[in-house]
Structures are given as structure tokens and as C-alpha cells.
Amino acid sequence: MDLFLQQIVNGLTLGCVYAVVALGYTMVYGIIQLINFAHGDVVMIGAMVSYSVITALAGLGLPPVLLVGISALIAMPACMAVGYTMERVAYRPLRHAPRLAPLITAIGLSIILQHVALLIWSRNNIPFPQIIEAQPLYLGSGPHSATITTVQIAIILTSLVMMVGLWLLVHQTRLGIAMRATSQNPQVAGLMGINVNHVVAFAFVIGAALGAIAGVMIGVYYGVAHYQMGFLLGLKAFSAAVLGGIGNLGGAMLGGLLMGLIEALGAGYIGDLTNVCVLDRWLPGFSDLCANQPHASLFGSNYKDVYAFLVLILVLVFKPSGLLGERVGDRA
Amino acid sequence: MQTFWRLGLAVIVALSLAACGPKEEAPPAKKTGSATEAPGVTVKIAHAGPLTGSIAHLGKDNENGVRLALDQANANPIMIGGKLVTFELLSEDDQADPKVGTTVAQKLVDEKVAAVIGHLNSGVSIPASNIYHKAGIPMISGSATNPTLTERGLTTVFRTVGRDDQQGPALAMYLAHNVKATTVALIDDKTAYGEGVANEVEKALKGTPVTLVGRERTSDRETDFKAILTKLKARRPDVIFHGGMDATAGPMIRQARELGITATFALGDGGCTNETARLAGTAAEGLICSQAGLPSEAAGKAFLDDFTARYGDVKQYAPYVYDGTLAVIEAMKRADSVDPAIFGPAMASVRFTGATGTVEFDAKGDRKNADITIFTMKHGRLVPIALVQNGLVSAFKR
């Protein structure tokens, strides 16, 4: 039970990060039906900028939480600038081009961002200074029960606050109304006096700001950053957005959380489920191997990256609109 | 149809030109070398290892080891074959990737280097060694520990570092008798080195009272180890052994402590660096790791002083790589030639005292009498605590 609870805690933390990144994908898709494949690299830029800020200010003796806060506050405008520039320079000129053109542009942008980061922050694994001592809090009695660290709690709370904030922004403000109107029909929204270019740019900027926070969270959580870290993360978050129903904000949050849980539980249990001794019960022929190595399994947790894409394929085959998606085939 | 024939003809011409090319070019190149009667000759020595990527710090460390040895040789030029020899370093990046490694190997063969010092990773060294062997170029690795490297009868392959089937049993013995572990779990990174060393530890533990409580796999590019660590936590191991490099060991240990795992971490030579402590922070304190050879502070004070004065701290394998380079120079002196075909066989009879003790190779090209040193982490620095020689553990004395 402790084991299960611990995997849930791990999965929830990971899921919150995925959800925040997935929101960036889904907002842009909801408004202009573009899959911004460079979004994962914006997250990477966020992590890198916050790393630079933290190391630059580490000598000042500020409290660690404040230091991370400052780094996030600097990473956000940096990523927002990257997001705005991407939209203005690369996507806006292609707004009315065939759909494949902006998609390929997005992949090109992703490569450009990675290599800019390579030039600035080097190819090496960058260790985040361990400024926040992750204190494990025990969720049961005894030293073997499940734990949740202060960092994990901070990640979950920050993500929830951001999701609620975004929800309020979209559903309670004039800008939110403009965004929803544009997503329903850009031409008519333009006729109603909405500046469509502003709304689209705003979606990119907000998505990039969320990405920056996600980058800071990942850096502090895992303790390492790398110039290629955004690629796989972006693909997984994109799969999460598709799982929830791309273009749907609630769907991205749900999809992200589910994706985190699927990955954590999958990586945690696949080894036990494909254990040679367990398999031997149904599929004889493993008994020699089982006697020798009782812990050997056919698939280990090194297959953990597979789940996100397995889910993506299953969703596209059986429910292309996703769990909460309202729109049908023609847009997805 | 006509175009097809023309194309075919063009291909045949191109192929025959390519086939003739090297034959026609090679002799003049040699002639200019001997005919000019220059007082000196330049010999290219190659270093190959990861200079980019997550273990670039180790590759750079190796490169510095080779450079130091060559610079020292150039400072007091030696006469070989009646000529003053100047050594030139050619360093290539294999990105710790077996596929890139073979490309780099072919490039170095084409550059006609006299010897290759490298590669760093076992998984890269093994395929690359085939290419060097075909070209007759000696290859000396100062860090590849997987037994397979020297088990394939390739006479041009050597290593100055110990093997995993020496390291594995030494670590297993230390864990069983000195750490007094009763339960051990293993994690490997699925590379030739990581999986190999974990297999050796597993095999050696079978002969001890220790129970193996789990074996997990990850990859050498992973950063999230929470799922496997959570799984192992439930099995309550006294010791977790990780077969992998410092780039994965650091984050792994840090995440384990965050999960409340109190097990002692044990690592092979790949994780036995101060970088592990840099990545893991205070969580790395008290880990146990092994290096396949003598610690340089014991064997090569002169090397250590020279190296730190020029490049700062030794990361890991620089002393072994330095000794590998010295072995090449020594063989050239013995054979009185810089031609790999002539000095190559002399490598087998080399014997000298280098930065890691007496360097001598056995019939397979492995280091003779390689000792294993056990280290622990204290205040973010590795400290040698024990030596394992011929299956006997003794405390490390300065």
C-alpha cells in the first residue's frame, strides 16, 4: 500500500508538470489549430534561465524560496519574449498557409531554440544548485512509509494555482471572452472588433509563461537541466493534451495528471507484471531463468517513456477527440 | 536505357578510382617522410572519448591526461629510429555513442594515427576496437572495464584499467564482509558497461550470504528515477548498487534520499567521481564505490602535482589514460620505431612505473595485477578506504 501511495505521489507531481506544459499546447491549438512543437523547448529555456539566475544570485545569501521565486520571475518574461517572437516572426506570416507549413516551421524553431541553448549553456548536464533541501514528510508511520517532499508539495500547489488562474482568466475576463470568441471563429471575432493578432500573441505569451514555471519546477525537482530536455517532455505533454482533448483547457489539466500517473504506475509495476516467475505460471518456459534470477523481468522500468506514446496511439485510434474534447475529427 | 549504362559506367569508373586511390597515394607520402632527412618526425597520437554530452567532463579529463603525457615527452624530445620525435595530439569526440564511436574510429584510421588512447565507454570501445584492429593500430583504453573488450583475441587492444570481473567481485566482497549488508538491490543503465558491471556484482554476490532483493533497469539518459526507487524502497535493501555513470548516479542518489531511502549506495568506477557529489549534493555522503586500479594519490604523486597545476583536479581516469600514453611511448622506444606495425607487438612486453603503479599487460592485453580500490564519499570528496588485492581486503594506508 505504501508502495502504491508513493507511486501516486510521484505520478501526481509529474502529472502537474505535464498539465502545466500541456496547457501551453492546448491554448495555442484551441485558438489557431497549430501544434506548437517548439513549446517543450520554451520550457527548457525557462529551466536554463532560472539556473543562470540562481547561480548568479547564490552568493547573496537570500532565502532559498525567495531565490527560486526571483529566478521564476526572471524566467517568465524571458520565455514570454521567446513565445512572442516565435509567434510574430515564424507563425504569423504563415497564419493562412496550408497547415503543414507552420507545423514544419514549429519543428525548425524547436531545433533553433535547442542550439541557441547549446551555445549559451553548453552541452553538459547542468546541475541545479541544491538550494531547497527537499525534506521528506512521511505519510504514514515508520521510516518505510510513503513520503512527500516539500518540493513536491510546492510543485503541486503552484500548478493548481496556475491552472485555477488560467481558468479564471479565460472564463471571467474580457480578454478570456475574446480568446474564446476567436477560437470559435476568427473571422467573425474580427468583425466584432476583436484584434485577432493580439489574442493569438497573448495565447503564445501566456503559454510560454506557464512553460517557464514548468521549467523551473522540473529543474528544482530533478536537479538537472540539459539543452535537449524539452524535446521528450514536450512530446509527452502534447500526448497529454491529446489525451484530454486538444484545444480544451480542462482536458489538458486532466490529461496531464493522468499521463503522470500512467507513467509512474507503469514504470513502477511493469517489472512485477512481466516478472519471469509470474509469467511462468501462465506461459511455461521461463522456469530455468526464474530459478536463476527471480527478479528478472521481460520489460523493465527502462520502458517508461513508451507509455505516453502508447496512450497517444490508443487515443487517436479509439477516441480522437480525447476524453473531454468537444470538437470532432475535422479539427483534430 | 542509355542513361542507365552511362550511370553504370560512371559508377564503375568511380569505384575503380577509389580502389586505386590509396595505393597510388601511399608510397609518395612515405617517401617525403624519409627522403627529406629532417632531423625530426611528427607522430600523431589520438585521443577519443565523449567531449560533449552528460559525461563530457570525464572525456575532457582523459584528453588532459593524454595531453600531459605528450607535452612531457615533447619537452624532452626522445630519439626513435634515429630521429627526434614530436608528438601531436588529435582529439575526437565520440559523444559516448557506439555509432559515433565507429565513425570517429574510421576517421582516425584515415588520419593514419600511430595509436589511439581511448575510448572512454566500454560500449563505444568494443565496436571501435574492431576498426583499429583491422588497420593494425594499437588502442589503449584507460577506462573501459567491460571484460569483452579484451576477450575477443584482438592483439592490438590494451587497457590500463582493471576489468569488471575483478571490480564486481571486489565490490561484492567489500559489501558483504565490510559493509555487512544482508540485502542488496541492483540498478543498471542498460549500457555495455553498466549492465556488465551489475551482472558481475550479481554473480559475485551469489557466493556470499547477501540476498539479492531486486534488479531494476533505467537508461543512461534518464533523469527521473523515482518509480524504480520507490519499487526498491518497498524491498528495503541495505545497499543499492548502481551500474552507471556519475551523470545518472548523482540525480538517482538525490531522489532516493527525497523518498526516504536510507540504503547505502554503491557504485562502480563510472560513478566513482566527485561529480557524483556535485550532482547529488549532501545525499552522496557515505556512498561506497570502486575504481579499477590504485588511487593516484598513492601511486603517482609527481603525476598528480603536474596534472593539478595545469588542469585542476583529476576527475577520474586521467592517470590511467596518462599511463596508456606512456605505454605507447615506451613501446616505441623499445621497438625503436613509430610504425604501429613494428612497435605494436612491443606493447605486450612493456613494463614501467606510471601514475597508477607498475604497468604491464597480460596475454589478452589486460593490466597485470590490477588492484581495486574502494572509496567512500566524505564532505563531497572521494576518500580511498580499502584496497582489494588478489581477493583480500586491506585498509588503505597513505
Side-chain angles (χ1 to χ4, degrees):
Chain A
M1 194 58 208
D2 283 341
L3 179 63
F4 182 70
L5 192 63
Q6 184 71 65
Q7 299 289 22
I8 294 283
V9 170
N10 296 343
L12 218 53
T13 317
L14 192 60
C16 280
V17 176
Y18 285 158
V20 172
V21 181
L23 282 174
Y25 278 100
T26 224
M27 271 211 313
V28 168
Y29 186 87
I31 292 176
I32 51 170
Q33 283 79 53
L34 163 79
I35 296 166
N36 178 15
F37 272 118
H39 187 58
D41 300 290
V42 174
V43 176
M44 176 270 296
I45 299 275
M48 293 296 199
V49 169
S50 92
Y51 157 78
S52 296
V53 173
I54 290 176
T55 35
L57 300 181
L60 296 182
L62 297 170
V65 179
L66 185 66
L67 198 55
V68 174
I70 293 174
S71 81
L73 285 182
I74 296 179
M76 268 167 66
C79 287
M80 285 157 99
V82 171
Y84 180 78
T85 315
M86 281 196 315
E87 198 276 328
R88 187 68 194 82
V89 174
Y91 296 136
R92 196 179 292 181
L94 296 173
R95 185 84 50 83
H96 302 291
R99 225 188 256 175
L100 207 53
L103 196 69
I104 291 172
T105 309
I107 294 168
L109 270 178
S110 159
I111 295 172
I112 291 174
L113 285 181
Q114 282 183 24
H115 285 82
V116 167
L118 184 154
L119 291 174
I120 301 176
W121 288 283
S122 90
R123 287 169 192 265
N124 300 332
N125 260 355
I126 292 171
F128 253 67
Q130 199 180 21
I131 45 168
I132 297 187
E133 205 55 54
Q135 288 295 334
L137 306 172
Y138 292 93
L139 295 175
S141 54
H144 295 292
S145 61
T147 60
I148 183 164
T149 63
T150 42
V151 172
Q152 285 176 314
I153 296 175
I155 288 177
I156 295 174
L157 287 183
T158 315
S159 311
L160 290 180
V161 167
M162 283 194 296
M163 289 187 230
V164 171
L166 187 69
W167 188 266
L168 290 178
L169 177 85
V170 170
H171 289 273
Q172 301 289 331
T173 63
R174 285 176 65 83
L175 186 71
I177 296 172
M179 285 171 80
R180 282 181 289 149
T182 311
S183 90
Q184 281 172 1
N185 192 324
Q187 279 82 26
V188 177
L191 290 176
M192 297 295 125
I194 292 170
N195 189 332
V196 174
N197 280 340
H198 278 187
V199 170
V200 172
F202 196 75
F204 270 92
V205 168
I206 292 291
L210 291 174
I213 302 287
V216 177
M217 293 195 298
I218 293 169
V220 173
Y221 186 43
Y222 292 132
V224 277
H226 188 251
Y227 78 99
Q228 283 176 328
M229 66 188 263
F231 178 70
L232 194 59
L233 178 80
L235 285 183
K236 285 181 184 172
F238 167 69
S239 309
V242 174
L243 170 64
I246 192 151
N248 182 313
L249 291 183
M253 300 177 198
L254 179 69
L257 286 175
L258 282 178
M259 191 62 87
L261 289 172
I262 290 169
E263 204 176 290
L265 293 175
Y269 288 104
I270 180 105
D272 291 341
L273 293 178
T274 60
N275 184 305
V276 284
C277 296
V278 175
L279 287 178
D280 192 52
R281 250 177 264 162
W282 294 291
L283 246 151
F286 291 105
S287 49
D288 292 347
L289 195 58
C290 171
N292 240 337
Q293 293 176 295
H295 291 291
S297 51
L298 287 189
F299 300 100
S301 37
N302 48 329
Y303 281 87
K304 97 180 172 46
D305 291 339
V306 171
Y307 302 107
F309 306 113
L310 207 62
V311 167
L312 180 66
I313 293 168
L314 291 179
V315 168
L316 288 179
V317 169
F318 294 106
K319 198 168 189 310
S321 58
L323 295 177
L324 300 184
E326 297 125 33
R327 293 202 194 87
V328 232
D330 67 330
R331 285 212 158 168
Chain B
M1 204 58 196
Q2 223 177 1
T3 40
F4 179 75
W5 277 115
R6 264 188 222 156
L7 204 69
L9 200 68
V11 168
I12 291 164
V13 170
L15 279 178
S16 52
L17 277 178
C20 296
K23 270 185 220 150
E24 285 171 356
E25 281 165 25
K30 263 189 189 161
K31 238 180 255 167
T32 46
S34 53
T36 45
E37 287 179 3
V41 60
T42 303
V43 176
K44 284 185 201 165
I45 304 281
H47 161 260
L51 300 176
T52 57
S54 61
I55 53 169
H57 56 286
L58 297 179
K60 196 72 196 167
D61 188 48
N62 283 7
E63 188 191 283
N64 288 339
V66 181
R67 183 167 285 133
L68 180 66
L70 295 184
D71 285 356
Q72 285 175 351
N74 287 339
N76 298 307
I78 39 174
M79 293 286 276
I80 292 176
K83 288 188 204 119
L84 278 179
V85 176
T86 315
F87 292 102
E88 188 193 335
L89 173 65
L90 209 70
S91 192
E92 288 290 336
D93 178 17
D94 66 20
Q95 297 171 23
D97 183 332
K99 294 188 289 292
V100 181
T102 48
T103 316
V104 162
Q106 192 54 52
K107 188 176 169 194
L108 291 175
V109 168
D110 295 344
E111 291 272 356
K112 299 194 171 58
V113 297
V116 178
I117 317 295
H119 296 221
L120 193 151
N121 308 74
S122 297
V124 185
S125 301
I126 294 167
S129 63
N130 289 327
I131 295 172
Y132 300 129
H133 180 73
K134 250 180 234 159
I137 296 175
M139 163 185 153
I140 303 95
S141 177
S143 48
T145 50
N146 190 304
T148 314
L149 179 65
T150 50
E151 286 291 335
R152 293 161 306 150
L154 305 184
T155 49
T156 54
V157 178
F158 301 88
R159 66 175 134 209
T160 50
V161 73
R163 291 158 50 120
D164 286 339
D165 48 7
Q166 297 165 325
Q167 193 179 181
L171 256 176
M173 197 163 57
Y174 190 82
L175 292 178
H177 301 304
N178 297 60
V179 180
K180 303 212 187 315
T182 53
T183 48
V184 173
L186 302 169
I187 303 176
D188 74 66
D189 68 358
K190 286 292 273 176
T191 62
Y193 161 69
E195 197 173 2
V197 71
N199 284 343
E200 293 297 341
V201 171
E202 181 174 349
K203 225 191 285 169
L205 282 176
K206 291 227 164 97
T208 66
V210 172
T211 339
L212 198 68
V213 292
R215 172 92 192 241
E216 289 296 322
R217 300 186 203 111
T218 179
S219 90
D220 58 338
R221 284 159 215 268
E222 187 57 73
T223 51
D224 181 356
F225 306 101
K226 299 242 170 179
I228 49 174
L229 289 171
T230 299
K231 217 175 132 184
L232 291 182
K233 185 187 171 190
R235 308 235 172 100
R236 302 184 191 179
D238 295 336
V239 171
I240 298 177
F241 174 82
H242 172 51
M245 306 302 288
D246 49 14
T248 47
M252 183 186 289
I253 297 172
R254 182 165 158 179
Q255 288 168 30
R257 297 293 177 251
E258 286 173 13
L259 287 171
I261 295 177
T262 50
T264 305
F265 266 86
L267 305 163
D269 57 319
C272 208
T273 68
N274 291 328
E275 179 80 2
T276 302
R278 202 168 75 89
L279 290 170
T282 49
E285 290 299 300
L287 66 81
I288 305 280
C289 63
S290 66
Q291 282 184 12
L294 283 176
S296 47
E297 54 257 64
K301 198 82 188 78
F303 161 80
L304 208 60
D305 291 343
D306 285 350
F307 190 91
T308 43
R310 289 178 62 164
Y311 310 111
D313 280 349
V314 170
K315 291 275 191 308
Q316 167 78 315
Y317 302 109
Y320 302 97
V321 171
Y322 174 85
D323 280 358
T325 317
L326 289 190
V328 169
I329 298 174
E330 193 67 23
M332 286 179 175
K333 279 193 218 160
R334 273 170 186 259
D336 202 25
S337 166
V338 293
D339 185 349
I342 300 171
F343 83 80
M347 286 288 300
S349 56
V350 157
R351 186 190 155 90
F352 65 96
T353 307
T356 57
T358 307
V359 179
E360 244 185 308
F361 299 108
D362 66 12
K364 287 175 184 163
D366 287 322
R367 178 90 174 257
K368 260 189 200 167
N369 306 321
D371 300 331
I372 308 289
T373 313
I374 308 286
F375 289 79
T376 187
M377 191 68 79
K378 263 191 195 144
H379 309 300
R381 312 273 312 168
L382 286 170
V383 185
I385 45 170
L387 284 179
V388 184
Q389 287 159 313
N390 305 323
L392 292 171
V393 182
S394 58
F396 180 80
K397 289 181 218 79
R398 249 156 235 280

